[in-house]
Amino acid sequence: MLDSNQILDIMNQTFMLALRIALPFLLISMILGIVVAIFQAATSINEQTLSFVPKLIAIVILLSVLGSTLLKTMQDFFVMILGLVAGG
């Protein structure tokens, strides 16, 4: 049986893992959104897809580059959780 300190530690690790996985995608999306918004303001182009397509392409590229690392991180965390559950 897990005590409350171990449960809080697992929750903390879970939130940190979620942050490590989501942060690169959120940052690249935010940076590209700002760059495209500045470009749209400078050129007076108000096309909705102009802000969506570069973000989508960048996220797909980032996923292809970091996908295996993120998957390995999630697998290690899952194995750790299974070890805690199975070990009692």
Side-chain angles (χ1 to χ4, degrees), residues 4-16:
S4 62
N5 288 335
Q6 288 175 324
I7 292 172
L8 287 175
D9 187 45
I10 291 169
M11 288 177 59
N12 185 28
Q13 289 177 3
T14 303
F15 288 129
M16 294 311 258

Side-chain angles (χ1 to χ4, degrees), residues 23-75:
L23 193 62
F25 299 103
L26 293 173
L27 283 177
I28 197 73
S29 179
M30 183 182 68
I31 291 169
L32 276 175
I34 290 171
V35 168
V36 169
I38 291 171
F39 175 75
Q40 283 181 327
T43 59
S44 298
I45 298 174
N46 292 326
E47 181 65 33
Q48 293 294 326
T49 58
L50 187 60
S51 65
F52 178 73
V53 172
K55 288 183 205 177
L56 180 66
I57 292 170
I59 287 173
V60 167
I61 290 171
L62 190 63
L63 185 61
S64 67
V65 170
L66 295 179
S68 62
T69 304
L70 297 176
L71 182 61
K72 178 67 175 149
T73 304
M74 288 188 286
Q75 285 175 339

